[in-house]
Amino acid sequence: HFGKDNSLVTAVVVTESLQADNDNINEELFLQASVNTETPYIQEQVIYTLKLFRKVNISQAALTEPVLNDAVIVRLGEGKNYNTKYNDENYVVVEREYAIFPQKSGAMTITPVTLTAGIVIANQARYNSFFSQQSTRNKRVVSNSIVLNVQAKPANNASPIWLPAEQVYIEEKWSVDPQEVILGEPVTRTISLFVKGVTVSALPELQKQKLPKQIKSYPDQPIL
């Protein structure tokens, strides 16, 4: 609580540990998708994490991208690789993250991601192996789909600006000390709006200020 205001109730859904997932026991290659929230607000950032688990060598791999209609999807970084233990088996994991911004409310399904790759066949004797190509067998794996229950803007939101961000702050800088301005000399005032967890298109315009008549102002075009 803060004064007369209070935050909304948050429900936490506890699921079984990944170690208890028997669908992928002893699988040589599989995909796993997850999100940081399944109940975002409209235009709120959802972090979609895709993991490829493998304990075999693969070649000529082709991985599709996540698809969600009526949403903006942005890939975050180049991904990362690491080793992990899953269901008491050692795996190499390739992890990618995406930021998804749903643009309408209601139930929305992120379609499964598909990997098509050749699994290298090990310990196979080949004549003149220096010139021979690697022997592989094709395999296609599909990730789980995820349903987002996107919430509309709260009914009590009276502001015309909707900014479902993680963090918002404004920074002001002057080219000289504003307490020591000299008559007739130009001064540059820079105002920066920093918002975490939204797209550029969601940023509101900064309101124009009413300045005293003795001050002439020439605002530049904003840099986004």
Side-chain angles (χ1 to χ4, degrees), residues 50-54 79-82 92-96:
L50 180 69
K51 296 180 182 181
L52 167 63
F53 290 77
R54 67 174 179 87
K80 53 187 177 181
N81 303 280
Y82 54 90
V92 176
V93 178
V94 180
E95 181 177 313
R96 290 183 181 179

Side-chain angles (χ1 to χ4, degrees), residues 33-99:
S34 62
V35 291
N36 64 328
T37 176
E38 294 182 351
T39 56
Y41 281 102
I42 186 172
Q43 297 179 338
E44 180 183 352
Q45 176 178 258
V46 177
I47 300 300
Y48 176 91
T49 303
L50 180 69
K51 296 180 182 181
L52 167 63
F53 290 77
R54 67 174 179 87
K55 54 182 179 180
V56 291
N57 293 324
I58 59 176
S59 65
Q60 299 178 332
L63 183 66
T64 63
E65 299 286 312
V67 175
L68 180 63
N69 295 328
D70 298 306
V72 177
I73 301 179
V74 181
R75 182 172 171 180
L76 303 176
E78 295 299 320
K80 53 187 177 181
N81 303 280
Y82 54 90
N83 297 314
T84 191
K85 185 176 287 290
Y86 183 91
N87 287 330
D88 295 325
E89 296 283 341
N90 293 319
Y91 284 90
V92 176
V93 178
V94 180
E95 181 177 313
R96 290 183 181 179
E97 284 190 331
Y98 300 81

Side-chain angles (χ1 to χ4, degrees), residues 29 42 48 61 71 86 92 95 119 130 141-142 150 158 164 174 184 191 193-194 206 224:
L29 187 69
I42 186 172
Y48 176 91
Y86 183 91
V92 176
E95 181 177 313
I119 296 179
F130 182 80
V141 293
V142 180
V150 183
W174 294 78
I191 300 175
L193 173 65
F194 295 89
L206 295 176
L224 302 176

Side-chain angles (χ1 to χ4, degrees), residues 174-178 180-189 214-218:
W174 294 78
S175 59
V176 299
D177 187 342
E180 300 178 1
V181 175
I182 299 176
L183 179 67
E185 292 190 2
V187 176
T188 300
R189 179 194 187 199
Q214 299 89 338
I215 296 178
K216 292 183 179 180
S217 175
Y218 305 94

Side-chain angles (χ1 to χ4, degrees), residues 85-124:
K85 185 176 287 290
Y86 183 91
N87 287 330
D88 295 325
E89 296 283 341
N90 293 319
Y91 284 90
V92 176
V93 178
V94 180
E95 181 177 313
R96 290 183 181 179
E97 284 190 331
Y98 300 81
I100 298 178
F101 303 89
Q103 301 299 303
K104 72 173 186 179
S105 59
M108 306 177 68
T109 301
I110 306 174
T111 58
V113 172
T114 301
L115 173 74
T116 304
I119 296 179
V120 177
I121 301 174
N123 301 325
Q124 184 182 52

Side-chain angles (χ1 to χ4, degrees), residues 203-219:
L203 297 180
E205 291 188 18
L206 295 176
Q207 300 294 325
K208 294 183 179 180
Q209 290 181 292
K210 293 183 179 180
L211 299 175
K213 295 181 179 179
Q214 299 89 338
I215 296 178
K216 292 183 179 180
S217 175
Y218 305 94

